[in-house]
Amino acid sequence: MDLILKNVHAADPQTGLDCVTDIAVKDGKIVKIGDCGGSAERVIDCTGLYAVPGLFDMHVHFRDPGLTYKEDIFTGAAAAKAGGVTGVLLMPNSKPACDTPKTVKYILDKGAQTGINVYTSACITEGMSGGGLCDYEALKNAGVFAITDDGRPVENAELMRQALELSVTNGMTVLSHCEDLKIINGGIINKGEVSKALGVKGMDRASEDYITARETALAASCGAHIHICHVSTYGSVNIIRAAKRDGVNVTCETAPHYFTYTDEKLYSRDADYRMSPPLRTEKDRAAIEEALLDGTIDCIITDHAPHAAEEKADFLKAPNGVVGLETSLAATLTKLYHGGKCGIGKIAELMSVNPRRVLGLPPVKIEEGAECELCIFDPEAEWTVEPEKLHSKSKNTVFKGETFKGRAVYTICRGKIVFDRKEDENVT
Ligand code: DOR
Ligand code: ZN
């Protein structure tokens, strides 16, 4: 036996597994669940720890190629591993943008060296220009199964309709960054009391609601699957809930900062609290939380968006985005599990099961014979977020100074321990 995890609380909503047991691993596979004795190359006492299928973050920016001073595929993957994440979907707004098989190959080849599963999306329009559509068939053959111009919307609705039609032919999922740029009109934080008090231009919530409504209407008309990125408004939640009820093939995601914080954080005039879409109001935050619990929102993602400290220094001019891979599980456990809103099984659904389902990837299960891909975490570990200790090259976290309860301890991918908190703390 290569590895035995002793006395771990294994939870997999897909198989109904939810008990304290041992897990034995050999040649990358789970070979036994049950009493496994103690004879293996490595035996880990997991008393008090949970094991869930490895987390999958379907919305991350690794800035590679071209913007590697912010992050690269290896440092991004290191952040993922430290957060219990064994699979990621990269957004295509690198430099050049990921819109050709050549760039896809560069990313996937480098990703294959990380020890976790790195996938990439590609652009909807060439260079994310909003102009001509990319060659989806060629991208599909290069290994792409999701397209998006994330970072911006496809402004031309007819072009988006055509992309959705082609996505059906090519069996791809379209991910949409829902923000109408004309309504945003240079705004930098949520438009409301806080933007007024600070005297800065606001981003009207209608910018998000309007494009969410447009995308669900277009997807319905094409019979296509649309996935709405980083939902932040109650309006968007209501549109998606109604569309799902009507049988539209729509799925969506949100990030921990949207169900943890509101735009009151911006009173600090600190650009580390700026992202797009922006932190909204308590009414939005509560609606996002409710939608996570009632199944309207399918996935928790991070929108991990690294930016250099110099870029974030100026509140008004800083680019939007926050890192999140190393805090996502902790923030979710703290807010939803310790907040008494849901159990570990639901969190596994939101962070592990549903993202793979939405993307049409094979499920990762905790069962005998399955490839061993696990996130092992201590639900009770208390820790405070110190940005300088993050593995990401950039430290622009919205959770700096926050104390969380719950943290990834071991991350296992293809049967290999790719992250071990104790070892990591001794090295760094
Ligand atoms: O805040 C954001 N930052 N939102 C996005 O959609 C893009 C991202 C980035 O690439 O920095
Ligand atoms: Zn986006």
Side-chain angles (χ1 to χ4, degrees):
M1 215 58 74
D2 298 331
L3 173 68
I4 294 176
L5 305 166
K6 292 293 294 176
N7 302 315
V8 71
H9 191 141
D12 181 354
Q14 301 163 108
T15 61
L17 183 69
D18 185 11
C19 62
V20 175
T21 184
D22 301 344
I23 298 176
V25 183
K26 191 170 169 40
D27 298 331
K29 290 206 157 54
I30 295 175
V31 291
K32 185 166 182 199
I33 299 174
D35 187 356
C36 296
S39 158
E41 218 163 280
R42 184 157 180 203
V43 179
I44 301 178
D45 178 13
C46 293
T47 306
L49 307 182
Y50 266 90
V52 295
L55 308 184
F56 192 101
D57 191 336
M58 61 175 290
H59 194 134
V60 302
H61 301 264
F62 280 1
R63 311 298 191 204
D64 196 350
L67 298 163
T68 52
Y69 65 96
K70 299 177 195 249
E71 193 80 288
D72 61 46
I73 289 170
F74 294 126
T75 56
K81 292 173 198 173
V85 175
T86 57
V88 287
L89 181 72
L90 272 50
M91 293 297 110
N93 61 342
S94 48
K95 211 173 167 185
C98 184
D99 61 357
T100 61
K102 188 176 165 217
T103 309
V104 171
K105 184 175 175 353
Y106 164 83
I107 294 169
L108 295 183
D109 284 352
K110 202 161 172 183
Q113 300 165 47
T114 60
I116 59 167
N117 295 307
V118 175
Y119 304 95
T120 189
S121 58
C123 302
I124 296 174
T125 66
E126 288 166 352
M128 292 177 54
S129 60
L133 299 178
C134 294
D135 182 346
Y136 303 142
E137 206 182 323
L139 290 164
K140 174 100 188 173
N141 291 334
V144 170
F145 48 80
I147 49 171
T148 179
D149 275 2
D150 182 63
R152 47 184 306 129
V154 174
E155 292 192 75
N156 180 332
E158 167 54 17
L159 205 61
M160 188 60 163
R161 198 194 60 73
Q162 289 172 19
L164 282 161
E165 237 171 30
L166 288 167
S167 77
V168 177
T169 322
N170 289 295
M172 285 175 159
T173 297
V174 181
L175 320 178
S176 176
H177 175 113
C178 295
E179 276 189 318
D180 183 90
L181 298 178
K182 295 213 173 65
I183 298 177
I184 293 270
N185 193 25
I188 61 164
I189 65 170
N190 180 54
K191 185 174 178 185
E193 262 174 49
V194 179
S195 66
K196 210 185 281 172
L198 294 184
V200 302
K201 267 184 122 175
M203 301 152 109
D204 195 302
R205 62 181 54 256
S207 61
E208 179 170 337
D209 300 351
Y210 162 55
I211 301 290
T212 302
R214 183 193 84 171
E215 308 303 48
T216 53
L218 291 173
S221 119
C222 300
H225 172 203
I226 186 81
H227 178 82
I228 306 295
C229 294
H230 38 54
V231 173
S232 78
T233 65
Y234 68 84
S236 210
V237 162
N238 288 339
I239 290 161
I240 294 163
R241 188 180 283 121
K244 281 190 167 188
R245 259 188 220 135
D246 281 349
V248 180
N249 191 0
V250 55
T251 53
C252 69
E253 58 181 41
T254 194
H257 41 270
Y258 299 121
F259 57 83
T260 304
Y261 291 147
T262 68
D263 59 353
E264 299 207 343
K265 281 277 174 195
L266 275 311
Y267 281 125
S268 62
R269 282 189 162 268
D270 180 343
D272 282 348
Y273 299 106
R274 278 191 41 215
M275 74 291 292
S276 72
L279 296 174
R280 305 278 188 189
T281 65
E282 175 53 26
K283 182 172 177 181
D284 299 290
R285 194 209 61 74
I288 299 286
E289 189 176 282
E290 186 190 4
L292 280 164
L293 301 174
D294 77 9
T296 302
I297 296 180
D298 301 270
C299 311
I300 293 175
I301 52 88
T302 60
D303 197 3
H304 182 84
H307 292 294
E310 311 83 77
E311 296 171 309
K312 279 292 196 180
D314 185 324
F315 177 59
L316 299 177
K317 295 200 188 109
N320 289 318
V322 293
V323 295
L325 277 163
E326 295 169 73
T327 48
S328 186
L329 175 64
T332 303
L333 286 169
T334 302
K335 192 74 192 168
L336 301 185
Y337 175 67
H338 292 295
K341 307 286 179 186
C342 71
I344 298 297
K346 175 71 180 174
I347 289 174
E349 271 175 23
L350 290 164
M351 302 189 76
S352 177
V353 179
N354 292 350
R356 292 183 176 91
R357 174 179 55 77
V358 163
L359 292 170
L361 289 168
V364 166
K365 294 185 181 174
I366 307 182
E367 64 182 7
E368 290 177 3
E371 196 158 279
C372 179
E373 200 170 322
L374 297 171
C375 162
I376 300 177
F377 64 91
D378 180 350
E380 304 299 329
E382 279 204 7
W383 64 289
T384 299
V385 179
E386 297 170 86
E388 63 280 6
K389 291 200 175 154
L390 296 177
H391 296 71
S392 178
K393 251 186 218 180
S394 297
K395 314 296 177 191
N396 50 313
T397 168
V398 81
F399 293 117
K400 54 186 163 187
E402 191 69 67
T403 295
F404 286 134
K405 206 168 169 191
R407 199 174 198 190
V409 182
Y410 301 101
T411 305
I412 303 181
C413 196
R414 296 173 209 131
K416 293 231 150 41
I417 299 175
V418 293
F419 181 79
D420 175 334
R421 172 89 41 210
K422 264 196 213 113
E423 237 171 56
D424 184 71
E425 277 168 1
N426 287 337
V427 176
T428 48

